[in-house]
Amino acid sequence: MSKRILSCMQPTNRLHLGNYLGALHNWVKLQDEGDNQCLYGVVDLHAITAGHDPGSLAQSTREIAAAYIAAGVDPARSYIFVQSAVPAHSQLQWLFATQTPLGWLKRMTQFKDKAGKKQDLASLGLFGYPVLMAADILIYKATHVPVGDDQKQHLELTRDIAQSFNQHYCDGEEFFPLPEPYITGEATRVMSLRDGTAKMSKSADSDMSRINLTDDADTIAQKIRKAKTDPEALPDNAKGLEGRAEADNLVGIYAALSGQAKEDVLADFGGKQFSEFKPALADLCVDKLSPITARMRELMDDPGELDAILKRGNDKAQSLAAPTLEETMKILGFWR
Ligand code: TYM
């Protein structure tokens, strides 16, 4: 049976290696597999929940779309769309917001991380963000959602929202399918290069903590050279990585980029020092990322072409989303 694949990224800052290995890489894999129907969104409404620069939002949106295509999403086979251009997302979000208990949202760890100690100053939008994410997924009745490990809890909430709607309003019949998370590979949670216990993130203060998809070869090599490690040589099996967060992270990155398991990487590098492993990792990173960076630049030089791709994606997304919204409203008893 063909699957409907849906996933999205926020146009906040530049995409990094974590976004690529945790998500984008699998988006391309799923697109190339069987007769899956794939929709990949740039979620600009999510990007304004914690302050943003209106002067760069549209350009960041194009840049994220360019990164999708440069990484291998084929706009002739998959649809790339902009969330704010498909109003049904926010409309469905409202319907779900009225059905979602506050207690479910209070459990979301990402809100706690992002709002920190200043929860009362965080916006309602940031708090309700996972409900919009549920709407992004369920408006297309998506069956599979390829994401990094950090989105797992949001997907569980999406399933809870779908299940509760089905139970309350559809006598338990599956109006909204329960979407399956697709979290797979050797790098589902890429960690910071400066601290193996923190996630690599777009918003971390130090640019040295992440490899951006737009970094040039020298910058990549420098970031890897300076990446935090421990003084031991690499172990010769994956069990030996336990308790060595930084080593585990770098080996995971190597494995994911080379399409191997960590065990295979350690079969080659076990017993070697980081002074030998890091240059090999830097070369591999540059090899894999530089064609993506170059293609992104070409695409960004032709914003007309990018806009045409997005317009086609928006039209398709709108045509799939509108009937789901209409049916949902009918089920909820609205005047029509
Ligand atoms: P966002 O924009 O923060 O990240 C985009 C994707 O990259 C993954 N990711 C990582 N994977 C591995 N290691 C990391 N360090 C790392 N950092 C980020 C994320 O898991 C994600 O898959 N809420 C989402 C966007 C969203 C969405 C959706 C996703 C909105 N609606 C509907 C799927 C379906 C987010 O903020 O992702």
Side-chain angles (χ1 to χ4, degrees):
M1 206 184 78
S2 97
K3 300 172 186 156
R4 180 167 289 174
I5 316 294
L6 178 286
S7 198
C8 307
M9 297 201 188
Q10 296 189 58
T12 31
N13 305 321
R14 302 252 135 93
L15 292 192
H16 54 67
L17 191 62
N19 300 126
Y20 176 63
L21 293 177
L24 252 182
H25 192 65
N26 286 332
W27 296 12
V28 177
K29 212 165 100 189
L30 286 168
Q31 162 192 269
D32 295 340
E33 204 177 77
D35 54 353
N36 295 340
Q37 183 179 40
C38 301
L39 292 144
Y40 297 128
V42 184
V43 285
D44 49 354
L45 294 172
H46 280 102
I48 65 165
T49 49
H52 79 291
D53 169 22
S56 59
L57 183 61
Q59 192 63 355
S60 303
T61 300
R62 285 195 192 94
E63 189 173 304
I64 301 292
Y68 293 177
I69 300 168
V73 172
D74 174 5
R77 285 184 289 154
S78 299
Y79 294 96
I80 303 176
F81 68 93
V82 181
Q83 182 189 37
S84 65
V86 186
H89 287 244
S90 345
Q91 291 167 295
L92 186 63
Q93 180 209 14
W94 176 255
L95 303 180
F96 286 161
T98 63
Q99 312 290 314
T100 307
L102 279 186
W104 291 6
L105 291 172
K106 284 187 184 157
R107 288 204 292 269
M108 297 293 113
T109 55
Q110 208 163 71
F111 173 75
K112 290 182 207 162
D113 291 347
K114 286 196 178 168
K117 293 205 173 86
K118 298 185 178 153
Q119 289 198 1
D120 283 352
L121 295 177
S123 70
L124 178 60
L126 187 67
F127 187 62
Y129 171 117
V131 182
L132 180 57
M133 179 161 163
D136 297 337
I137 297 168
L138 298 175
I139 195 76
Y140 300 107
K141 300 192 172 179
T143 58
H144 293 78
V145 184
V147 281
D149 182 67
D150 62 336
Q151 298 300 316
K152 204 166 164 182
Q153 197 186 31
H154 291 160
L155 270 165
E156 278 158 15
L157 181 86
T158 302
R159 290 167 62 93
D160 288 344
I161 290 176
Q163 193 157 33
S164 146
F165 187 95
N166 293 342
Q167 233 149 36
H168 275 95
Y169 299 107
C170 310
D171 293 330
E173 227 177 88
E174 212 174 73
F175 175 71
F176 287 116
L178 305 193
E180 293 289 337
Y182 186 91
I183 302 173
T184 180
E186 291 287 6
T188 55
R189 191 176 189 85
V190 178
M191 307 309 276
S192 156
L193 298 179
R194 309 301 292 168
D195 172 3
T197 63
K199 195 181 65 164
M200 185 178 283
S201 107
K202 297 178 199 143
S203 53
D205 288 340
S206 166
D207 194 55
M208 293 299 282
S209 69
R210 61 184 161 257
I211 292 173
N212 303 303
L213 294 191
T214 46
D215 283 345
D216 62 26
D218 288 345
T219 310
I220 293 177
Q222 192 202 20
K223 286 179 176 177
I224 292 181
R225 207 177 325 114
K226 297 219 161 149
K228 185 175 165 204
T229 46
D230 56 45
E232 306 291 318
L234 283 166
D236 55 14
N237 61 60
K239 199 146 177 29
L241 292 169
E242 278 170 19
R244 298 180 66 187
E246 284 84 12
D248 189 19
N249 189 39
L250 295 186
V251 170
I253 292 173
Y254 193 103
L257 283 171
S258 61
Q260 293 174 286
K262 284 185 198 170
E263 288 289 352
D264 301 325
V265 176
L266 293 172
D268 290 341
F269 287 98
K272 301 225 162 100
Q273 297 295 331
F274 282 103
S275 54
E276 209 170 319
F277 179 65
K278 280 180 168 180
L281 177 60
D283 285 349
L284 178 63
C285 251
V286 170
D287 250 27
K288 296 287 174 185
L289 296 189
S290 59
I292 298 179
T293 314
R295 180 82 183 107
M296 263 179 86
R297 266 196 219 108
E298 274 171 29
L299 288 158
M300 289 303 287
D301 283 344
D302 191 354
E305 171 65 15
L306 270 179
D307 287 351
I309 289 170
L310 290 174
K311 170 104 187 34
R312 175 178 168 273
N314 292 343
D315 289 347
K316 178 70 180 184
Q318 175 66 18
S319 75
L320 294 170
T324 310
L325 179 68
E326 231 5 73
E327 280 178 73
T328 310
M329 295 193 74
K330 274 198 200 131
I331 290 170
L332 289 175
F334 281 90
W335 174 87
R336 272 312 182 244

